[in-house]
Amino acid sequence: MLDIQQLRTHLNNINARLAQRGYAFPAEDFNSLETKRKSIQTLTQSLQAKRNAISKQIGIAKQRGEDTSSIMAEVANLGDELKQAENELEIIQAALQQLLMEVPNLPHESVPAGKSEVDNPELRRWGSPRVFDFSIRDHADIGEHLQLIDFETAAKLSGARFSVLKGNLARLHRALAQFMLDTHIQEHGYNEIYVPYLVNSECLRGTGQLPKFEADLFSIQTSSPEESAALAQAPNLHLIPTAEVPLTNMVRNSIVPLEQLPLKFVAHTPCFRSEAGSYGKDTRGLIRQHQFDKVELVQIAHPAYSYEALESLVGHAENILKKLELPYRVMLLCTGDMGFAAAKTYDIEVWLPAQNAYREISSCSNCEAFQSRRMQARFRSEQGKPELLHTLNGSGLAVGRTLVALLENYQNEDGSITIPEVLRSYMGGLDRLTT
């Protein structure tokens, strides 16, 4: 959420910066609410001052033994008027809060202007795409040929955009997650966290999924009085779209001691997304699923060091791809392609031979104080004053998409898959997937 004081003092500048994101700030609605707020606030303060002054008169009159009934009646009337003004002010403040909840973050000054992904500059590449001397298959064909991916059974169980992995491919999927966790913990200094896969609405408001992106979420629906009673202590639960949500909310309504910064969390979880608005995109295979696994990185940082932390976080995600020897490139997202809560984002895209293209496998963002302001996540500064933290997140990596990249980049002419050397110890020494 943006700082309302900034909006009050620099509205034109903020309008221009949001316009770079393709967002038209509702300035007329904001100014109208602000005018009402100022008027009611002035009235409220005036009534409070008048009530205090009359209360003093009552005290003095009582000391003198004078009749205070008329003054007491005036105070009672003032109380009713003040209560009405306070209620109106509360309604206006709530409307301002709701308006701000729909507004995206401001882009950092280093983010290039642009409208879509075609305007994203490429920063660097690592590795060279393999040259094949045989006809390559996509990952779905490979998995079905090996009889290790079963889309038909998944559709019977759950519908479209689900998959069933079998045997050594399921084991390879698990090995990838374990390898990623071990690398981030042992080499990059993250603290592993196991989090709930169901979270309340406050968590999703804190990180920015609610209220704007409710259609992308899977929510728990109760259908009987018994179920309603069972969930009475935990209403409005949603399946997590990413572990970023519970990990970042761990510092909600907290003041983190300065000496503990930065906090570095890693978690492996399933993620659940309705993929609203993605009709017709990547309907075949594992690229865009309603349920997928991800190893998520979150850093909670001092504002002075958050962009240094962003660069390190990107490097941690890149390191996984380097160890797996998968070619990739790093893109800097333009203003029109960034996520709602991000101030600056790097996308890492892995090479997929069957698509003859690079596809996103990790998105790493600095949200600055946008999420912290929603969550009231703070630290005590060097001067002892509570200040808002900066929050960062990134995939380290999306497990399913990494599996896709392995299947396509490590395929052999006979249909088998060579297992990268760094994963073989997680596979009991197995070096190849075969039928």
Side-chain angles (χ1 to χ4, degrees):
M1 188 166 63
L2 300 185
D3 183 353
I4 195 167
Q5 293 300 335
Q6 279 190 308
L7 283 163
R8 288 167 179 163
T9 55
H10 304 292
L11 182 56
N12 289 339
N13 175 264
I14 290 175
N15 263 337
R17 292 173 67 186
L18 289 172
Q20 290 183 327
R21 296 195 59 147
Y23 180 82
F25 181 77
E28 188 175 329
D29 292 344
F30 177 77
N31 286 330
S32 175
L33 287 169
E34 273 292 283
T35 299
K36 292 177 184 176
R37 179 193 64 81
K38 290 175 185 176
S39 175
I40 297 295
Q41 202 159 39
T42 299
L43 174 61
T44 302
Q45 291 168 350
S46 174
L47 291 171
Q48 288 171 336
K50 190 173 181 180
R51 184 180 64 177
N52 292 340
I54 294 175
S55 295
K56 287 181 181 179
Q57 289 179 23
I58 293 172
I60 293 171
K62 284 184 176 180
Q63 287 177 352
R64 293 173 178 173
E66 298 174 355
D67 180 18
T68 62
S69 56
S70 61
I71 307 177
M72 294 285 283
E74 187 177 355
V75 168
N77 291 334
L78 270 178
D80 293 340
E81 195 175 349
L82 179 59
K83 183 64 176 176
Q84 182 179 348
E86 288 174 339
N87 289 340
E88 287 182 26
L89 183 60
E90 188 175 328
I91 291 169
I92 292 168
Q93 297 280 29
L96 281 167
Q97 184 83 352
Q98 184 62 32
L99 184 150
L100 290 179
M101 281 286 188
E102 300 279 352
V103 180
N105 202 356
L106 296 176
H108 187 262
E109 59 186 12
S110 65
V111 175
K115 294 182 179 180
S116 68
E117 62 182 15
V118 300
D119 300 314
N120 297 336
E122 180 180 318
L123 301 182
R124 58 184 174 271
R125 293 190 182 198
W126 185 91
S128 300
R130 177 182 167 190
V131 177
F132 292 86
D133 58 3
F134 57 89
S135 296
I136 59 175
R137 294 170 164 168
D138 71 15
H139 70 278
D141 281 341
I142 293 168
E144 289 180 324
H145 170 74
L146 294 173
Q147 299 180 19
L148 297 178
I149 298 181
D150 187 345
F151 295 111
E152 185 177 342
T153 298
K156 180 174 67 174
L157 297 174
S158 305
R161 294 190 188 272
F162 290 92
S163 61
V164 169
L165 305 183
K166 299 179 177 180
N168 280 329
L169 189 61
R171 186 178 186 183
L172 182 59
H173 184 270
R174 173 164 53 91
L176 275 169
Q178 292 297 108
F179 160 70
M180 292 175 192
L181 284 172
D182 287 347
T183 301
H184 292 311
I185 294 162
Q186 296 166 12
E187 298 184 19
H188 304 149
Y190 287 83
N191 183 23
E192 183 178 3
I193 309 291
Y194 175 79
V195 294
Y197 302 160
L198 288 165
V199 294
N200 57 39
S201 297
E202 191 174 355
C203 286
L204 291 154
R205 279 191 292 271
T207 45
Q209 282 80 16
L210 287 178
K212 193 172 180 65
F213 302 104
E214 186 171 7
D216 292 323
L217 302 170
F218 285 110
S219 303
I220 298 299
Q221 301 293 329
T222 57
S223 58
S224 69
E226 292 78 12
E227 288 177 326
S228 298
L231 290 172
Q233 300 304 313
N236 303 316
L237 290 175
H238 307 264
L239 288 163
I240 58 171
T242 165
E244 170 202 345
V245 176
L247 288 175
T248 307
N249 274 274
M250 286 173 63
V251 295
R252 188 178 78 223
N253 296 327
S254 301
I255 298 179
V256 179
L258 178 65
E259 62 272 15
Q260 291 185 12
L261 297 178
L263 300 175
K264 297 168 68 175
F265 302 139
V266 61
H268 166 224
T269 69
C271 305
F272 305 91
R273 299 183 188 177
S274 71
E275 296 294 345
S278 67
Y279 180 79
K281 296 179 181 178
D282 298 307
T283 55
R284 174 177 165 79
L286 305 175
I287 293 291
R288 197 179 296 272
Q289 300 262 286
H290 289 312
Q291 174 185 313
F292 60 96
D293 279 39
K294 188 150 62 81
V295 172
E296 184 73 3
L297 307 175
V298 164
Q299 292 199 31
I300 311 295
H302 190 294
Y305 306 111
S306 67
Y307 278 95
E308 180 182 321
L310 177 61
E311 299 299 326
S312 70
L313 192 151
V314 174
H316 299 155
E318 286 184 76
N319 191 34
I320 299 296
L321 291 171
K322 288 176 179 176
K323 287 177 176 288
L324 293 170
E325 300 185 66
L326 291 171
Y328 67 87
R329 67 179 184 177
V330 179
M331 311 293 288
L332 174 59
L333 298 199
C334 68
T335 52
D337 197 34
M338 288 195 304
F340 180 78
K344 185 174 183 176
T345 299
Y346 295 104
D347 270 7
I348 303 174
E349 299 179 346
V350 69
W351 177 254
L352 296 185
Q355 295 190 18
N356 195 37
Y358 289 95
R359 295 296 305 270
E360 179 198 334
I361 197 167
S362 174
S363 191
C364 302
S365 300
N366 186 353
C367 299
E368 296 186 356
F370 186 83
Q371 294 176 327
S372 294
R373 188 170 287 109
R374 288 169 169 247
M375 297 186 300
Q376 281 303 290
R378 297 167 291 169
F379 73 104
R380 204 169 292 282
S381 70
E382 292 83 346
Q383 292 73 38
K385 178 184 175 183
E387 295 183 14
L388 292 172
L389 291 156
H390 280 194
T391 61
L392 305 94
N393 65 81
S395 307
L397 304 162
V399 181
R401 291 196 177 193
T402 308
L403 187 66
V404 167
L406 289 184
L407 291 176
E408 294 196 3
N409 283 278
Y410 281 89
Q411 63 180 293
N412 302 306
E413 189 171 10
D414 63 1
S416 66
I417 303 298
T418 300
I419 295 174
E421 191 170 342
V422 293
L423 296 178
R424 292 175 188 175
S425 61
Y426 294 89
M427 296 290 292
L430 192 69
D431 64 358
R432 190 173 291 243
L433 297 184
T434 59
T435 52

